[in-house]
Amino acid sequence: MKILVTGGTGYIGSHTAVELQNSGHEVVIVDNLSNSDNNVLNGIEKISGIRPEFEEFDLSDQAKTADFFKRHNDIEGIIHFAAHKAVGESVEKPLMYYRNNIFSLVNILQGMKDNEIENLVFSSSCTVYGQPEQLPVTENAPVQKAESPYGNTKQISEEIISDTVKSTKIKGIALRYFNPIGAHESAIIGELPIGVPNNLMPFITQTAIGKREFLRVFGDDYNTPDGTAIRDYIHVVDLAKAHVVAVERMVNDKMKKDFEVFNLGTGKGYSVLEVIKSFERSTGQKLNYQIVGRRPGDVEKVWADTQFANEELGWKAEKGIDEMTLSAWEWEKALE
Ligand code: NAD
Ligand code: WQD
């Protein structure tokens, strides 16, 4: 199958491109390199033996996106990763986030409709649940008012897709990721945060390698066993594999509804201190950290109910927390 991977030189997109090619699919990547580097194409080629086709342009540009689809109307499925993703930046620059994330999706859906491309897998996020009342959180839990413009773009995008499937032949799967971390075992591709990382895992590895003085642990007064916040961390390669399963499900007509939603997590929650302990255990590195106040907007605890994804997709996250933290470290060292 020929699959368009938007944002395919990015963190999750690059790992997914590898898994798609390893499964025998043909990959076309579109990325404007706003948060990635085209060297990633060399990495994908090195790992999988195939260099994916690549076009560099901004998907929020309607004319360019329409032109791309006219030239590529043999695409069977689209996995849409391309988006801005920094929560804090989205609060500062909401219009930039709405323009980029919403316009791109609308342009892609228009291109799909005009060229009879029917299958769209969309990158959503557990952020749509806010702080859920019940844990683990199932796909049926209510979507709560977004804490940030970024989170809101994910909610609005899910609604746009859900509305579009009602009046077109387009079908959609929204995958709600929990906290993707780690890197490919080859350490040839991984996460490339620009500037000071916002997320926990790259901050840990950058601290351990000496790029940052110490990690700030945001809050130890949460209602959790050790007082630090709990998340469901998932290995990026497990996450990537779920995309292959999802796009194959669509193309092979296995969907039960025209718009489906799946949680992608491991079902296990780890506190910030437990992640630090895992990092120290798996790598033998001591981590410098200090407890500071809570970060505004953070939820206390969230982890996925994975039953629906496990049963319906026939997919299960396989890699444990130590494998995640070790692979993130191997990638950090390879970046030196
Ligand atoms: P990333 O920034 O590494 O990858 C996104 C890619 O999209 C980048 O290469 C960027 O250059 C590209 N891009 C952005 N806007 C574009 C546009 N208008 N046109 C063309 N290319 C564009 O991010 P990621 O971590 O790989 O995330 C991928 C997707 O998953 C995003 O939609 C993100 O919101 C979502 N997501 C990520 C996480 C996470 O923790 N990483 C969690 C939940 C959901
Ligand atoms: C994890 C935990 C922090 C950094 C964000 C987005 C979410 C999704 C994934 C895209 C929290 C703590 C972190 C640090 C810390 N992205 N932490 N010190 O906040 O769960 O989710 O990324 O959709 O939408 O909000 O991930 O990695 O930032 O934080 O103590 O320097 O680590 O407080 O408890 P988060 P994260």
Side-chain angles (χ1 to χ4, degrees):
M1 279 192 294
K2 189 166 175 178
I3 310 294
L4 166 62
V5 180
T6 77
T9 46
Y11 173 45
I12 306 170
S14 57
H15 289 82
T16 302
V18 164
E19 295 305 323
L20 285 165
Q21 294 193 152
N22 285 348
S23 304
H25 301 301
E26 188 183 338
V27 173
V28 184
I29 290 177
V30 171
D31 201 299
N32 65 355
L33 305 180
S34 59
N35 198 38
S36 55
D37 192 302
N38 66 1
N39 270 334
V40 171
L41 296 167
N42 299 334
I44 296 170
E45 182 177 7
K46 214 165 168 185
I47 297 169
S48 61
I50 303 164
R51 192 176 186 84
E53 193 181 331
F54 174 65
E55 288 204 22
E56 181 184 340
F57 68 89
D58 185 337
L59 288 152
S60 69
D61 182 322
Q62 188 181 359
K64 286 187 181 153
T65 307
D67 173 68
F68 170 86
F69 278 111
K70 249 190 236 149
R71 292 181 287 108
H72 289 87
N73 59 8
D74 57 340
I75 285 170
E76 288 182 72
I78 300 175
I79 308 182
H80 178 39
F81 293 104
H84 292 327
K85 63 163 182 178
V87 175
E89 184 185 51
S90 80
V91 176
E92 305 293 319
K93 301 176 182 166
L95 295 180
M96 177 177 136
Y97 271 68
Y98 287 116
R99 180 178 295 114
N100 194 62
N101 295 3
I102 304 299
F103 285 20
S104 296
L105 174 66
V106 171
N107 291 341
I108 288 166
L109 287 166
Q110 187 69 54
M112 292 177 74
K113 180 169 180 281
D114 294 345
N115 295 282
E116 295 178 351
I117 300 167
E118 294 178 2
N119 305 303
L120 178 72
V121 177
F122 174 71
S123 297
S124 190
S125 169
C126 70
T127 191
V128 304
Y129 298 120
Q131 176 58 65
E133 278 180 17
Q134 284 183 345
L135 288 168
V137 60
T138 72
E139 290 82 352
N140 298 322
V143 166
Q144 296 200 38
K145 187 171 165 33
E147 284 272 352
S148 70
Y150 166 73
N152 206 22
T153 67
K154 293 297 171 196
Q155 298 190 2
I156 295 169
S157 294
E158 286 197 10
E159 286 176 2
I160 291 173
I161 299 167
S162 150
D163 286 343
T164 305
V165 303
K166 290 176 191 150
S167 64
T168 62
K169 285 186 178 164
I170 296 171
K171 293 169 287 168
I173 291 184
L175 298 176
R176 292 178 177 161
Y177 315 154
F178 282 66
N179 287 53
I181 60 169
H184 192 266
E185 60 176 4
S186 64
I188 293 173
I189 55 172
E191 192 172 5
L192 270 178
I194 294 173
V196 182
N198 297 305
N199 296 114
L200 178 64
M201 198 66 237
F203 211 104
I204 289 179
T205 57
Q206 289 195 6
T207 304
I209 210 148
K211 287 185 190 159
R212 314 272 158 215
E213 208 182 324
F214 61 90
L215 170 78
R216 286 172 192 77
V217 174
F218 297 134
D220 69 348
D221 57 351
Y222 286 108
N223 181 23
T224 60
D226 65 23
T228 64
I230 294 177
R231 298 288 183 274
D232 184 337
Y233 297 91
I234 175 168
H235 198 297
V236 65
V237 172
D238 277 332
L239 193 74
K241 288 179 176 164
H243 290 76
V244 180
V245 175
V247 79
E248 288 176 347
R249 173 181 176 86
M250 304 190 92
V251 174
N252 296 330
D253 262 338
K254 299 262 168 60
M255 290 175 73
K256 305 257 165 78
K257 290 190 294 185
D258 288 341
F259 179 57
E260 295 181 330
V261 175
F262 295 100
N263 282 345
L264 296 185
T266 64
K268 289 194 200 79
Y270 289 95
S271 73
V272 178
L273 290 179
E274 285 173 325
V275 176
I276 295 171
K277 276 186 207 132
S278 161
F279 177 80
E280 292 186 331
R281 184 167 60 230
S282 68
T283 67
Q285 297 291 314
K286 195 95 196 92
L287 192 78
N288 203 4
Y289 70 89
Q290 284 179 19
I291 310 281
V292 300
R294 293 182 180 193
R295 181 172 68 178
D298 271 351
V299 301
E300 182 167 85
K301 48 190 163 191
V302 61
W303 58 93
D305 187 317
T306 61
Q307 192 184 350
F308 186 58
N310 294 163
E311 287 177 3
E312 236 357 271
L313 294 177
W315 161 91
K316 199 172 187 331
E318 283 165 1
K319 295 174 190 291
I321 189 75
D322 288 2
E323 210 173 334
M324 299 182 213
T325 54
L326 178 60
S327 68
W329 177 237
E330 295 299 336
W331 166 244
E332 183 69 58
K333 287 192 294 179
L335 279 175
E336 282 291 283

